[in-house]
Amino acid sequence: MISYAEALEKILSEVRNYPSELIPLSQSLGRVLSEEVSADRDYPPFHRSAMDGFAIASKDYKDGQVYPYHRELPAGMSLDLEPKEKAIRIMTGAPVPLGFDLVIKIEDAYLTETDGQKQVTFNLKDAKPWQNIAKQGEDVKKNQIVLTKGIQIGTSEFSLLASLGKETVSVIQSPKVHIISTGNEVIPIHSSPLPYQIRDSNSYTITSILSKYKIQPESVTHVPDLEKEITEQIQKGLDADILILSGGVSMGSLDLVPSILQRLGVDLIFHKTAIKPGKPIWFGKRKNTIVFGMPGNPFSVQTCSRIFLEPFLRKSYGQSQIPSYKLPYSTTKQKKGSLTEFFPVRLETTDKTYLAPLAFNGSGDVRAGLFSDGLAIIPSQLSQIQKEDILEFLPW
Amino acid sequence: MISYAEALEKILSEVRNYPSELIPLSQSLGRVLSEEVSADRDYPPFHRSAMDGFAIASKDYKDGQVYPYHRELPAGMSLDLEPKEKAIRIMTGAPVPLGFDLVIKIEDAYLTETDGQKQVTFNLKDAKPWQNIAKQGEDVKKNQIVLTKGIQIGTSEFSLLASLGKETVSVIQSPKVHIISTGNEVIPIHSSPLPYQIRDSNSYTITSILSKYKIQPESVTHVPDLEKEITEQIQKGLDADILILSGGVSMGSLDLVPSILQRLGVDLIFHKTAIKPGKPIWFGKRKNTIVFGMPGNPFSVQTCSRIFLEPFLRKSYGQSQIPSYKLPYSTTKQKKGSLTEFFPVRLETTDKTYLAPLAFNGSGDVRAGLFSDGLAIIPSQLSQIQKEDILEFLPW
């Protein structure tokens, strides 16, 4: 049985390149850029006053000097200095006129008026050039690349793209995804279960994970453990870029998925990996279609989606992986066996931030992920975790 | 000038209760529950086999004993034991028949057949009752409350609600929000800026933050710094639950927003708070309308949205606040002045996870939030941060 690291490596070596599409910026939140974006001009585009106050030339500055002034420059306008003009009133966001290089904030200014002539003196010990001015190009230079392919558009990217005037952006097209839940015991959520039946939550888990990447599954189907019906659905599902199955991949006599997949020409890449939960996972491909055969238990699906499906999507999108963190564990924990173990934790902050366990009855537990912030990992070779031991943490 | 803590307290004491609406579960991701949800039955609903293997009675177990068997129980069915039936083949997810209380996994079973009679012996030292069985009700008891009002529906909640058969869920109705950007220097993103103009990114920042709560703004407008036009737009905007302005709240002579708001009968709750960035923020209300007057700089808007708007929304929704974390800082930092300072950081993991600074030229910096994971806080009274000092961290 291959290790977690080997399984992940095999999955990541099967990444696909999806084509690009051009969409309006306003619809791009959560999508992943497929173009490099460079600055259309310097940012700031001009020497911008960072304060409401007065602009002057720093070389002329003397403490206590009286500056006559008569003009005021709000943001959204510019002006050329008149001969002998030594100060102007300036507003935040306005361009500092050529010839001036210092803004003194209004709180440090003392305003007077003599015979209709406005005057100002300043209470400022140390006048440094470029004080209270955001210099042209100090944030970003014109033509500088500010965003690269593979960056997911969040608040900061969205705002920056708007600043740059990118009305449309090129993003990775969402892959076509089919989801098939299998299992005789599984019924749709609107049905009343018999005592030994359960409702299909796995397609909801997978749909939720896909929604993080703005992927809408093309179809969501359920089939009982019947050779003919599974075969039919998988056959249909193989026109997708990604086919995600849940259930039917374990050791039971009705675990028909692996044999049907192989009969339909899907090449097995691996079946089973040394992890808990999620051990029975099946992974393969047929031409351009990638097939994830996830186990049927709800927390196995959530775990496999996080540790295998998301990394696959992100690498296919050219996105970096979600970083994992290393944080101290809040208590002690035993691990039996030699599998790499994943369990739900929440972040608990006292003097510092710890990983804290939650009630967890294993992969079949319907509320296993609830109130958790992510998964902690116990490596295969460890059997005992002590309080303050540093564990790897994968945020959801 | 009031402190950050006082400002936040004043904002949180103005929370509103928004009504509920019933929506299909399939559309509920990211929405906030406005009902308590209890379990429709025990989970697991039956003593569920957690393994593919054999079910027997633990009290009868003897190491090396030969068990004849003739029946197989897949998931999705149930069976009653026949008299003298001592073992059945059982699959993961199937209900353990009444009378049996132990499942031995297939890997520990040795199968033989004598004269057409199937038999099994087990390689198991220690047979404990309920081994490899998820007991009925061990995760959740029937009628137990599993989700409460104010919980945002993420992957785990979505999956659990599906398991419980909640086809429709009661969620908080999104408030009606208007966004108004002000500023003569600000132009829409599809326009070509003159040298001293910048494009409106603030409405994109605010829209993105609202989208975390599945709120679509009712309108997004821009007005120049003209008394009449601002007055008109604010007047229209005051029919919202939340009116969010950016720009025009500082000390400049064209910062018209505070006086116009007050003339329109919006009661000032506070203007300015001792933070950086975001100091000039204006907050008030008229009847049921809450008004956030945010400063105009892009990173001020992003910061004020995270530290004031989101807490307001979450408390109005009955949601708990995003927890803040305490993590060591990766290097040293100086702070001038006595404001509480927020700056963008990313999480950097070496031997453990640190908060690491990013290039940051202040609140006007268009790429200030880029590649950051959240905000670190330097409390007002601190002026010097050392490597390894623990700072409070607000994730985005």
Side-chain angles (χ1 to χ4, degrees):
Chain A
M1 193 157 50
I2 64 172
S3 70
Y4 164 49
E6 287 167 306
L8 184 58
E9 196 194 311
K10 282 179 191 292
I11 287 171
L12 293 183
S13 68
E14 292 299 332
V15 293
R16 298 291 181 260
N17 288 317
Y18 303 119
S20 294
E21 60 181 333
L22 212 59
I23 62 169
L25 177 62
S26 58
Q27 289 164 30
S28 70
L29 265 175
R31 300 294 295 271
V32 175
L33 277 177
S34 60
E35 61 172 336
E36 257 179 13
V37 177
S38 55
D40 61 322
R41 53 180 182 156
D42 285 342
Y43 286 88
F46 45 83
H47 297 320
R48 185 186 62 221
S49 176
M51 293 284 173
D52 295 316
F54 286 85
I56 62 167
S58 64
K59 65 175 170 38
D60 295 344
Y61 181 74
K62 281 188 207 77
D63 206 16
Q65 182 174 331
V66 176
Y67 290 82
Y69 73 97
H70 66 284
R71 293 201 291 175
E72 181 169 309
L73 181 61
M77 298 178 70
S78 69
L79 58 74
D80 296 323
L81 293 183
E82 293 165 3
K84 300 197 180 165
E85 193 170 21
K86 293 293 183 195
I88 60 158
R89 180 106 158 78
I90 195 166
M91 302 306 155
T92 304
V96 176
L98 190 67
F100 285 171
D101 66 349
L102 168 62
V103 169
I104 301 175
K105 60 180 193 241
I106 190 74
E107 292 89 337
D108 291 334
Y110 180 67
L111 279 63
T112 53
E113 201 167 326
T114 305
D115 300 334
Q117 172 61 59
K118 292 180 187 170
Q119 292 174 329
V120 59
T121 52
F122 303 111
N123 174 25
L124 178 76
K125 289 279 152 300
D126 193 22
K128 278 179 251 159
W130 303 111
Q131 222 170 331
N132 296 323
I133 296 171
K135 287 184 79 172
Q136 179 172 339
E138 77 171 23
D139 304 336
V140 179
K141 294 264 181 263
K142 181 172 177 171
N143 297 328
Q144 186 184 325
I145 291 162
V146 287
L147 295 169
T148 50
K149 291 178 191 191
I151 287 179
Q152 191 166 22
I153 300 172
T155 300
S156 301
E157 294 77 13
F158 197 51
S159 165
L160 176 59
L161 288 163
S163 287
L164 302 182
K166 289 283 293 179
E167 284 177 82
T168 56
V169 284
S170 177
V171 297
I172 313 279
Q173 247 180 48
S174 293
K176 182 172 175 179
V177 178
H178 292 302
I179 300 174
I180 304 174
S181 304
T182 71
N184 284 333
E185 77 280 30
V186 178
I187 59 163
I189 77 156
H190 56 265
S191 307
S192 282
L194 293 169
Y196 45 83
Q197 291 179 324
I198 56 169
R199 299 187 189 91
D200 171 29
S201 62
N202 289 339
S203 61
Y204 285 79
T205 303
I206 297 164
T207 301
S208 171
I209 298 286
L210 294 175
S211 79
K212 289 174 68 176
Y213 301 89
K214 303 290 165 186
I215 301 170
Q216 293 261 14
E218 181 99 357
S219 76
V220 177
T221 325
H222 169 258
V223 280
D225 296 315
L226 295 169
E227 183 92 27
K228 184 164 165 288
E229 297 197 26
I230 298 180
T231 304
E232 256 175 45
Q233 288 304 323
I234 290 182
Q235 216 152 15
K236 279 190 206 165
L238 284 170
D239 75 345
D241 295 305
I242 307 172
L243 171 61
I244 306 171
L245 295 132
S246 67
V249 291
S250 196
M251 304 277 287
S253 56
L254 290 183
D255 287 330
L256 306 169
V257 167
S259 61
I260 294 174
L261 283 169
Q262 289 189 267
R263 203 166 329 117
L264 290 173
V266 183
D267 294 328
L268 171 69
I269 296 169
F270 68 85
H271 187 191
K272 291 187 187 171
T273 164
I275 62 170
K276 183 181 174 184
K279 190 173 83 169
I281 188 174
W282 195 101
F283 180 73
K285 64 173 170 181
R286 191 181 79 170
K287 292 177 200 148
N288 279 320
T289 306
I290 287 295
V291 180
F292 287 89
M294 297 192 186
N297 269 334
F299 200 66
S300 301
V301 168
Q302 196 170 347
T303 302
C304 287
S305 296
R306 174 62 182 81
I307 69 174
F308 293 134
L309 175 61
E310 283 197 63
F312 175 82
L313 287 171
R314 295 179 81 94
K315 192 167 177 204
S316 295
Y317 281 13
Q319 232 183 321
S320 61
Q321 295 302 331
I322 305 174
S324 64
Y325 303 115
K326 287 179 185 164
L327 293 167
Y329 193 58
S330 68
T331 176
T332 59
K333 191 176 168 78
Q334 301 272 356
K335 176 170 81 76
K336 287 183 224 152
S338 62
L339 302 174
T340 300
E341 207 168 305
F342 298 83
F343 63 101
V345 287
R346 66 190 182 81
L347 297 169
E348 188 180 79
T349 301
T350 50
D351 56 321
K352 59 188 173 186
T353 296
Y354 289 89
L355 301 174
L358 292 148
F360 174 46
N361 289 329
S363 64
D365 188 345
V366 289
R367 45 95 241 202
L370 218 57
F371 313 128
S372 65
D373 294 304
L375 294 168
I377 308 180
I378 311 182
S380 52
Q381 73 283 2
L382 275 189
S383 59
Q384 179 74 41
I385 306 297
Q386 306 293 345
K387 182 172 158 67
E388 298 283 348
D389 280 357
I390 302 288
L391 287 186
E392 195 176 345
F393 167 65
L394 306 178
W396 289 128
Chain B
M1 193 159 48
I2 64 171
S3 70
Y4 164 50
E6 288 167 305
L8 184 58
E9 197 194 311
K10 282 179 191 292
I11 287 172
L12 293 183
S13 68
E14 293 298 334
V15 293
R16 297 291 181 262
N17 288 317
Y18 303 118
S20 294
E21 61 182 332
L22 212 58
I23 62 169
L25 177 62
S26 57
Q27 289 164 31
S28 70
L29 265 175
R31 299 295 295 272
V32 175
L33 276 176
S34 61
E35 62 172 336
E36 258 180 12
V37 177
S38 56
D40 61 322
R41 54 181 182 155
D42 285 342
Y43 286 88
F46 45 83
H47 298 319
R48 184 187 63 222
S49 177
M51 293 284 174
D52 295 315
F54 286 85
I56 62 168
S58 65
K59 66 174 169 40
D60 295 343
Y61 181 74
K62 282 189 206 79
D63 205 17
Q65 183 174 329
V66 175
Y67 290 84
Y69 73 97
H70 66 284
R71 292 204 290 175
E72 181 169 308
L73 181 61
M77 299 178 71
S78 69
L79 58 74
D80 296 323
L81 292 182
E82 294 166 1
K84 301 196 180 167
E85 194 170 19
K86 294 292 183 195
I88 61 156
R89 180 105 159 78
I90 195 166
M91 302 305 153
T92 306
V96 177
L98 191 66
F100 285 171
D101 67 349
L102 169 62
V103 169
I104 301 175
K105 59 180 194 246
I106 190 75
E107 292 90 336
D108 290 333
Y110 180 68
L111 280 63
T112 53
E113 201 168 326
T114 305
D115 299 333
Q117 172 61 59
K118 291 179 185 171
Q119 292 174 328
V120 59
T121 53
F122 302 111
N123 174 27
L124 178 76
K125 290 280 153 297
D126 193 22
K128 279 180 252 161
W130 304 110
Q131 221 170 332
N132 296 324
I133 296 171
K135 286 185 79 172
Q136 180 172 340
E138 75 170 24
D139 303 337
V140 180
K141 294 264 181 263
K142 182 173 178 171
N143 296 328
Q144 187 185 325
I145 291 162
V146 288
L147 294 169
T148 52
K149 292 177 192 192
I151 287 180
Q152 191 166 23
I153 300 173
T155 300
S156 301
E157 294 78 13
F158 197 51
S159 165
L160 176 59
L161 288 163
S163 287
L164 303 182
K166 289 282 293 177
E167 284 176 81
T168 56
V169 284
S170 176
V171 297
I172 315 279
Q173 248 180 48
S174 293
K176 183 172 173 177
V177 178
H178 292 301
I179 300 173
I180 304 175
S181 304
T182 71
N184 285 334
E185 76 279 30
V186 178
I187 58 162
I189 77 155
H190 56 264
S191 306
S192 281
L194 293 168
Y196 44 82
Q197 292 180 324
I198 55 170
R199 299 188 189 89
D200 171 28
S201 62
N202 289 338
S203 62
Y204 285 79
T205 302
I206 297 163
T207 301
S208 170
I209 298 285
L210 294 175
S211 79
K212 288 174 67 175
Y213 300 89
K214 303 288 164 188
I215 300 170
Q216 293 261 14
E218 181 99 357
S219 75
V220 177
T221 325
H222 168 257
V223 280
D225 297 316
L226 296 169
E227 184 92 27
K228 184 165 165 286
E229 297 198 25
I230 298 180
T231 304
E232 257 176 44
Q233 287 304 323
I234 291 182
Q235 216 151 15
K236 280 191 205 164
L238 284 170
D239 75 345
D241 296 303
I242 307 172
L243 171 59
I244 307 170
L245 296 130
S246 66
V249 292
S250 198
M251 304 276 287
S253 56
L254 290 183
D255 288 329
L256 307 167
V257 167
S259 61
I260 294 173
L261 284 168
Q262 290 189 269
R263 203 168 327 119
L264 290 172
V266 183
D267 294 330
L268 172 68
I269 296 170
F270 69 84
H271 187 192
K272 291 187 187 171
T273 166
I275 61 169
K276 183 180 173 185
K279 190 173 82 169
I281 187 173
W282 194 101
F283 180 72
K285 63 173 169 181
R286 191 180 80 169
K287 293 178 198 148
N288 279 318
T289 306
I290 288 294
V291 180
F292 287 90
M294 297 192 186
N297 270 333
F299 200 65
S300 300
V301 168
Q302 195 171 347
T303 302
C304 287
S305 296
R306 174 61 182 83
I307 69 174
F308 293 135
L309 175 61
E310 284 197 63
F312 175 82
L313 287 171
R314 296 178 80 94
K315 193 166 176 204
S316 295
Y317 280 14
Q319 231 182 321
S320 61
Q321 295 301 331
I322 306 174
S324 64
Y325 302 113
K326 287 180 185 163
L327 293 168
Y329 193 58
S330 67
T331 176
T332 59
K333 191 176 168 79
Q334 300 272 355
K335 175 169 83 76
K336 288 183 224 153
S338 61
L339 303 173
T340 299
E341 207 169 304
F342 299 83
F343 63 100
V345 287
R346 65 189 183 82
L347 296 169
E348 187 180 80
T349 301
T350 50
D351 57 322
K352 59 188 172 186
T353 295
Y354 290 89
L355 301 174
L358 292 149
F360 174 46
N361 290 329
S363 63
D365 188 343
V366 289
R367 46 95 241 205
L370 218 57
F371 314 128
S372 65
D373 295 304
L375 294 167
I377 309 180
I378 311 182
S380 52
Q381 72 282 2
L382 275 190
S383 58
Q384 178 74 41
I385 306 297
Q386 306 293 345
K387 182 171 157 70
E388 298 284 346
D389 279 358
I390 301 288
L391 288 187
E392 197 177 343
F393 167 66
L394 306 177
W396 289 129

